[in-house]
Amino acid sequence: MDGLPCLWMRGGTSKGAYFLASDLPTDRAALDDLLLRVMGSPDANQIDGIGGADPLTSKVAILSPSTRDDADVDYWFLQVFPDRPLVSDAQGCGNILAGVGPAAIERGLVGATGDETNIRIHMVNTGEVATATIQTPGGRVRYGGDASIDGVPGRHAPIPLMFDDVAGSMCGTLLPTGHEADEIEGVSCTLIDNGMPCVVMRADALGITGREGREELEANADLKDRVEAIRLKAGHLMALGDVSDKSVPKMFLVSRDPGGAALMTRSFIPHRVHATIGVFAAITAATAATLPGSPAHEVAQLPEGTTFRIAHPGGAADVLIERDEAGRVIRTGTLRTARKLFDGRVFPR
Ligand code: NQM
């Protein structure tokens, strides 16, 4: 039989194709070519592939037995650009991460250990390890449950994700310029990486309220040009080099939330606007809010405890931010859900 074994899953507020590394070519050029054909790229509609014509539904997770003693499974994330012949591993993805534990159990890479199974996931893109807790009554993944996350209708089994230290995941250090704020193109920006390289700016510094919808922001050509000009300069300052072909840094426009959340956000990822928010991106934006010199701090409403509510176009996401006595963020986490949508074979064109 031809075709490739493929699990199509929702992870958090994203969807993607989950593969075993052993089913794919090891040569990078051959792999990229295959994944473009699987997803139907380059074509904004991805009409001849399984991609969903949106960066949030054109994602790939490649799983393999872990190469590390402190992890159970290796997870390599690839972003397939819908409209360009480009596959990038220059970012991780915390939403697709939510489906990795269930997929690893489904594919027999990891065994269930009881009603709940803790799975340590080596995130190959950044070299860091996450712990996911999966509901596994009777030794099988349970997807149904009572947890809900904004941006996903209905209720599902909770998947808590915890991270011990993800600072400097791709930039080497939390603040790659050493400053809590830098001025780029006349805009005060925090260049920060607490799991995801991000540029955090006040929405009003770019002439918007920060509460506009996805379509309105994507139709604002002047705004998009300014955001991209800042991003290209920030990439060099963040030790990411020329980012014109990379999906990082993510660009955050933040404002005060009238509903009382810690932060209101709109994020360019980096050219489309996120319908909700990335997991590591939310953690990184929340971390920026804790820095007194950051523009995010000026509009933030910091909670008493460790739960930071980060508002986004589809509602809000709660992230856990634990700090030491010096105020340094030492442990983070969030709650996601995931669902197996389809298990079969995909036939690339
Ligand atoms: O920041 C989208 C997503 C993401 C990334 C993106 C993510 C994260 O929501 O951890 O999950 O920013 O491209 O899937």
Side-chain angles (χ1 to χ4, degrees):
M1 199 198 302
D2 56 3
L4 285 168
C6 175
L7 261 178
W8 184 244
M9 297 191 65
R10 174 181 66 76
T13 55
S14 289
K15 271 194 286 202
Y18 291 66
F19 294 103
L20 291 180
S22 52
D23 290 325
L24 295 171
T26 48
D27 174 70
R28 181 62 202 269
L31 176 66
D32 287 4
D33 175 64
L34 177 73
L35 295 178
L36 289 166
R37 289 184 288 116
V38 164
M39 289 295 180
S41 297
D43 166 23
N45 293 323
Q46 293 186 317
I47 198 68
D48 203 24
I50 64 172
D54 188 304
L56 300 174
T57 53
S58 180
K59 300 188 166 205
V60 171
I62 299 181
L63 311 188
S64 51
S66 188
T67 47
R68 284 170 49 154
D69 291 342
D70 60 350
D72 304 304
V73 60
D74 278 9
Y75 152 54
W76 188 33
F77 171 75
L78 293 164
Q79 176 71 55
V80 180
F81 285 59
D83 52 350
R84 295 171 66 186
L86 206 57
V87 179
S88 175
D89 70 349
Q91 72 162 93
C93 179
N95 274 304
I96 289 297
L97 171 68
V100 169
I105 296 172
E106 297 277 357
R107 287 293 187 249
L109 285 180
V110 177
T113 53
D115 285 351
E116 283 187 353
T117 302
N118 285 324
I119 301 185
R120 297 164 308 164
I121 300 165
H122 168 210
M123 300 180 285
V124 175
N125 303 71
T126 58
E128 276 138 9
V129 174
T131 304
T133 305
I134 313 302
Q135 305 282 308
T136 49
R140 299 193 54 180
V141 179
R142 178 167 67 197
Y143 293 97
D146 285 331
S148 73
I149 56 174
D150 285 355
V152 179
R155 293 183 177 273
H156 304 85
I159 302 181
L161 299 172
M162 293 302 304
F163 316 106
D164 273 337
D165 184 7
V166 285
S169 69
M170 304 221 86
C171 300
T173 174
L174 181 72
L175 297 172
T177 65
H179 310 133
E180 292 186 355
D182 291 279
E183 193 170 305
I184 306 180
E185 301 266 322
V187 176
S188 174
C189 306
T190 297
L191 311 186
I192 181 168
D193 171 6
N194 200 13
M196 183 66 75
C198 292
V199 176
V200 185
M201 304 158 278
R202 284 180 64 140
D204 55 9
L206 286 135
I208 61 166
T209 66
R211 296 191 298 279
E212 293 81 357
R214 195 182 192 202
E215 291 74 20
E216 184 179 345
L217 292 173
E218 289 184 351
N220 187 337
D222 287 347
L223 174 69
K224 287 177 76 173
D225 287 350
R226 282 187 77 190
V227 168
E228 184 63 1
I230 295 170
R231 193 180 81 86
L232 293 177
K233 288 193 174 160
H236 291 287
L237 296 170
M238 298 175 83
L240 298 167
D242 176 5
V243 293
S244 38
D245 282 348
K246 292 185 182 162
S247 51
V248 286
K250 309 293 179 186
M251 306 301 286
F252 268 81
L253 305 177
V254 301
S255 58
R256 185 172 293 262
D257 177 33
L263 213 51
M264 169 66 78
T265 66
R266 295 293 183 264
S267 51
F268 282 84
I269 60 167
H271 305 124
R272 299 288 307 273
V273 173
H274 205 305
T276 60
I277 195 166
V279 168
F280 290 112
I283 288 168
T284 300
T287 304
T290 68
L291 304 175
S294 169
H297 192 77
E298 295 165 11
V299 295
Q301 305 170 97
L302 296 183
E304 292 288 325
T306 51
T307 303
F308 284 51
R309 177 151 273 251
I310 307 297
H312 57 61
D318 287 332
V319 296
L320 173 88
I321 301 284
E322 277 179 26
R323 293 188 275 171
D324 64 13
E325 285 187 357
R328 204 179 72 94
V329 176
I330 46 170
R331 196 154 187 263
T332 57
T334 195
L335 179 78
R336 298 279 87 185
T337 65
R339 201 158 80 79
K340 178 170 65 169
L341 301 170
F342 183 86
D343 184 359
R345 302 180 81 85
V346 63
F347 297 85
R349 71 160 181 262

